[in-house]
Amino acid sequence: MRKYLGLFGLFTLAGSLIAYNMFQRFSQQELWGMRPLFLFIFIWGALSSLGAIRWGKNEGFQLRFILSSSAGLLLSIGFPDTLIPFPFFAMVGYVPLLILMEMPSLKRRQVFGHAFNTFLIWNFITTFWVANTAFLAGVFAVVVNSFLMTIPILTYFELKNKIPRLAAVSFIATWLTFEMVHYHWDLAWPWLTLGNEFAAFPSLVQWYEYTGVFGGSLWILVANWLLWKIWQKTKASSITSRHFLPILAWVFLPIGLSFFLYYTYEEEGESRQMVLIQPNYEPHYEKFALSELQQTQEIMDWCRGAIGDKTDFLVLPETVFGLIERESIRNYPAVQQLEGLLIDFPQLNIVTGVSAYEFFEPENGWDMPSTVRRQMNRNGEEVYYEILNAAIHLKKGQVEVPLYRKSKLVPGPEIFPFKEILFFMEPLVTSLGGTIAGLGTQKERSIFEGEKGKIAPIICYESVFGSYVTDYLKKGAEALVIMTNDGWWDKTPGHLQHLRYASLRAIETRKGVARAANTGVSAFINQRGDLIAQSKYGEATALKGNLMFNNKTTFYTQWGDVIPRIALLITGLLILNLFSKKRV
């Protein structure tokens, strides 16, 4: 008991010192870097010590805690740019949880508690950096996502006890269903989709052009189940060499296929020269401290120094200019300066992210969108408008400037999830920099088209969603252009993970990717998912390179997420079966 009390005191003291240091840095307008990770670790340590004080004498609790903690660590350490660059740790990450759930006399609340411990560790080790945006909101995101991840585990626990012959199917289908739902609702946060584990190693998952990242999730889940079955055989002393054949085949055959696809793939299409501008204005403090006039002048200097007669596309990052009124884009000074480049370089296509707004005229019987805001103007009249995170396309001779609205929004700062139900959480959303209104979106994807090709204007968070990106290709896009700003998270694994996910989009679609970041990493990625050129974090630069444009359609582009749709159907049938058994 004294030992655990001592640990609690030690963890609490260390956490308090880190929290104080973070507060001091915040008051001095300095970012926290890796400090939120250490604070999360010490908070977890203090809470674990309290749990040990309460249940530490229970040997079953001790073993379960070790197993659940081991599972969280295994799922974390191989995740892209986290601790160890070896994603195959995830293939054993669920085994400790599966072992735990076979322990006798296990109750549902015990499964929940230990599963929550697993996913809390996985979340705070891999995504602690969200706290650099707003600390309380970051804590909320980590805790809520950990809670949501326990749902498929609890569902599997119920199903395996009631329908044991379908335990393997239940385990795999329920998790894939959870991942799919996590792509398509207001709280969408697919950052930890299992298939993302291989984002730093594109040569291992070239077959994503057929399955998307959910193929990687299936690969990991089946591997965990097969390894757990081997553990059961070992425990029963009935293991033989033939029991290893299924897992060896399951792991190495996809790798062999991927290597074959990787080394035999030849890029298709026509080469286009592109210039990516990385202004490097730190978004918390610096961007809003400098005048837009000064920022525009510096950006224009970068543009003029980098583009030439052979440059086809100039790409600037997310929300680099604004606020711009939708109906008078050309009157905005920064846009006028950019259009001035078209005089000397008429072949140029300019794509840039902007913050924009659009006015609405109320009409009788008009059902106003929930994203429309109301405000009194200087004349005392009520005006209706919508804020947009958008991208525009400038080219020679165009009559109207095309505008694309970011439509996959970040929960919190850009969209208030379930605001009709969670209205009481508006202060938390406001602390993230968002509002209850959120941002305006558009129902369908649209592309930017010029004589030099058709591009998909993907804004930041949208690049994390595989099937969402394929909607641009169905409109005719020949290359992917990502405009982002990853400086919100400081120099942590967050901006690198976001970069890696762009490689997965390249494989799924077999399209080249040009990625322009305000702060973060700008890069060119080829159709195999290789980083062929990239900038450094924290540098202002112009990155010039060539990208292949093509109109190739992959199986994944055409058919999308077949695997999780099948899993959703199976999970629905399993749950119906479960309820029918309860009634009987």
Side-chain angles (χ1 to χ4, degrees):
M1 182 71 71
R2 289 180 180 178
K3 177 178 69 174
Y4 295 130
L5 281 171
L7 285 173
F8 173 73
L10 179 63
F11 281 122
T12 302
L13 176 61
S16 300
L17 291 174
I18 294 171
Y20 177 75
N21 180 263
M22 289 169 62
F23 173 77
Q24 289 291 96
R25 285 183 167 267
F26 179 77
S27 64
Q28 298 167 10
Q29 294 194 342
E30 294 182 24
L31 298 181
W32 296 324
M34 301 290 288
R35 287 170 181 79
L37 172 61
F38 299 116
L39 183 59
F40 278 127
I41 290 172
F42 284 110
I43 291 174
W44 173 83
L47 294 175
S48 299
S49 300
L50 286 177
I53 292 171
R54 173 66 176 82
W55 298 291
K57 293 182 180 180
N58 185 323
E59 292 184 4
F61 170 82
Q62 294 175 10
L63 178 58
R64 292 194 300 270
F65 181 75
I66 291 171
L67 287 171
S68 64
S69 300
S70 300
L73 188 60
L74 286 167
L75 289 167
S76 303
I77 57 179
F79 205 78
D81 300 284
T82 302
L83 295 174
I84 301 174
F86 190 70
F88 293 99
F89 281 113
M91 289 191 168
V92 296
Y94 287 87
V95 173
L97 267 184
L98 291 170
I99 294 171
L100 184 155
M101 284 188 283
E102 291 301 311
M103 296 178 74
S105 304
L106 198 64
K107 296 180 174 58
R108 190 184 297 112
R109 58 179 174 79
Q110 293 171 320
V111 173
F112 167 78
H114 290 291
F116 182 77
N117 179 52
T118 293
F119 299 128
L120 186 65
I121 293 171
W122 186 15
N123 274 268
F124 75 65
I125 289 180
T126 54
T127 63
F128 70 89
W129 39 264
V130 296
N132 274 311
T133 303
F135 181 72
L136 291 179
V139 172
F140 177 80
V142 166
V143 172
V144 169
N145 202 52
S146 303
F147 170 78
L148 293 173
M149 284 179 160
T150 65
I151 295 174
I153 296 299
L154 288 170
T155 305
Y156 159 70
F157 181 69
E158 291 293 325
L159 289 170
K160 83 174 183 66
N161 289 334
K162 299 296 190 298
I163 321 174
R165 69 183 185 280
L166 296 177
V169 175
S170 301
F171 170 66
I172 295 164
T174 52
W175 190 268
L176 288 172
T177 297
F178 162 74
E179 288 193 340
M180 183 180 183
V181 171
H182 223 16
Y183 266 66
H184 295 287
W185 65 331
D186 280 4
L187 276 176
W189 180 245
W191 207 272
L192 297 184
T193 298
L194 286 172
N196 289 338
E197 289 271 358
F198 300 96
F201 298 89
S203 60
L204 295 176
V205 288
Q206 292 294 301
W207 38 271
Y208 277 14
E209 70 169 288
Y210 300 100
T211 68
V213 293
F214 289 107
S217 297
L218 178 64
W219 193 26
I220 289 172
L221 291 167
V222 173
N224 273 276
W225 187 266
L226 293 174
L227 286 168
W228 176 65
K229 298 300 287 186
I230 289 174
W231 178 86
Q232 284 188 313
K233 294 288 183 183
T234 304
K235 187 179 177 182
S237 300
S238 59
I239 190 74
T240 63
S241 58
R242 66 182 179 83
H243 290 115
F244 290 92
L245 293 178
I247 184 61
L248 292 174
W250 180 256
V251 172
F252 288 105
L253 286 178
I255 293 176
L257 172 61
S258 185
F259 282 160
F260 173 78
L261 293 171
Y262 182 80
Y263 289 109
T264 59
Y265 184 83
E266 295 183 4
E267 287 207 283
E268 300 179 14
E270 298 182 10
S271 179
R272 296 285 183 259
Q273 186 184 100
M274 308 182 77
V275 170
L276 313 177
I277 302 298
Q278 181 169 301
N280 194 45
Y281 298 124
E282 195 285 312
H284 292 85
Y285 313 116
E286 184 180 6
K287 182 169 176 59
F288 301 103
L290 295 174
S291 69
E292 185 165 281
L293 179 63
Q294 180 182 346
Q295 294 180 42
T296 301
Q297 187 58 54
E298 292 176 354
I299 289 170
M300 293 306 299
D301 289 342
W302 280 110
C303 293
R304 293 189 185 96
I307 62 176
D309 293 335
K310 295 183 179 179
T311 306
D312 299 309
F313 286 88
L314 171 67
V315 183
L316 288 82
E318 176 188 19
T319 60
V320 69
F321 302 117
L323 285 166
I324 299 176
E325 185 181 350
R326 172 70 179 94
E327 298 303 320
S328 56
I329 292 175
R330 280 206 168 94
N331 295 332
Y332 198 77
V335 173
Q336 290 176 342
Q337 290 199 49
L338 286 173
E339 285 195 309
L341 296 172
L342 300 175
I343 298 173
D344 296 325
F345 305 99
Q347 84 290 349
L348 191 63
N349 291 267
I350 303 173
V351 178
T352 180
V354 298
S355 293
Y357 64 96
E358 183 174 12
F359 285 117
F360 287 82
E361 292 294 335
E363 299 176 1
N364 293 331
W366 179 43
D367 186 13
M368 211 179 315
S370 61
T371 52
V372 171
R373 312 174 190 210
R374 304 182 184 188
Q375 186 173 317
M376 302 298 292
N377 65 15
R378 294 178 181 178
N379 299 324
E381 300 171 335
E382 193 171 42
V383 294
Y384 301 84
Y385 68 100
E386 198 172 48
I387 298 294
L388 314 173
N389 185 347
I392 59 173
H393 178 204
L394 305 174
K395 62 180 179 178
K396 188 75 172 179
Q398 66 187 173
V399 177
E400 184 179 349
V401 177
L403 180 141
Y404 169 76
R405 303 162 177 241
K406 180 181 181 182
S407 299
K408 205 68 174 177
L409 304 179
V410 181
E414 295 181 327
I415 182 174
F416 188 176
F418 312 113
K419 57 187 175 185
E420 293 83 5
I421 302 173
L422 304 178
F423 60 90
F424 57 90
M425 296 187 64
E426 185 176 356
L428 180 62
V429 175
T430 304
S431 74
L432 248 181
T435 71
I436 192 170
L439 301 180
T441 60
Q442 59 186 61
K443 290 183 178 180
E444 295 185 1
R445 300 315 98 234
S446 58
I447 63 174
F448 292 158
E449 184 174 355
E451 292 183 3
K452 297 296 183 177
K454 305 172 184 177
I455 65 162
I458 305 167
I459 302 177
C460 193
Y461 192 49
E462 295 178 318
S463 66
V464 184
F465 298 81
S467 59
Y468 183 90
V469 169
T470 64
D471 289 341
Y472 296 97
L473 277 63
K474 293 171 184 176
K475 298 289 185 179
E478 300 167 323
L480 310 181
V481 171
I482 299 173
M483 292 152 280
T484 187
N485 181 8
D486 295 341
W488 297 104
W489 312 321
D490 205 3
K491 193 175 183 180
T492 62
H495 77 278
L496 293 173
Q497 292 167 3
H498 198 196
L499 169 68
R500 303 294 188 190
Y501 296 163
S503 292
L504 301 182
R505 304 293 84 80
I507 297 169
E508 290 168 343
T509 62
R510 293 303 184 189
K511 296 288 183 288
V513 179
R515 188 178 193 273
N518 178 28
T519 308
V521 177
S522 300
F524 289 104
I525 301 171
N526 67 18
Q527 295 166 14
R528 297 191 308 180
D530 300 319
L531 284 166
I532 54 179
Q534 66 182 93
S535 65
K536 296 179 181 178
Y537 184 93
E539 70 169 343
T541 187
L543 191 66
K544 182 183 289 187
N546 285 69
L547 209 65
M548 299 293 285
F549 279 48
N550 71 41
N551 55 10
K552 179 179 179 179
T553 300
T554 64
F555 181 90
Y556 181 72
T557 300
Q558 185 173 1
W559 295 100
D561 294 321
V562 174
I563 290 173
R565 289 202 294 266
I566 294 173
L568 179 62
L569 175 62
I570 292 172
T571 300
L573 293 174
L574 288 170
I575 292 174
L576 285 174
N577 188 296
L578 180 63
F579 279 116
S580 65
K581 284 182 177 293
K582 284 185 176 181
R583 290 197 171 189
V584 173

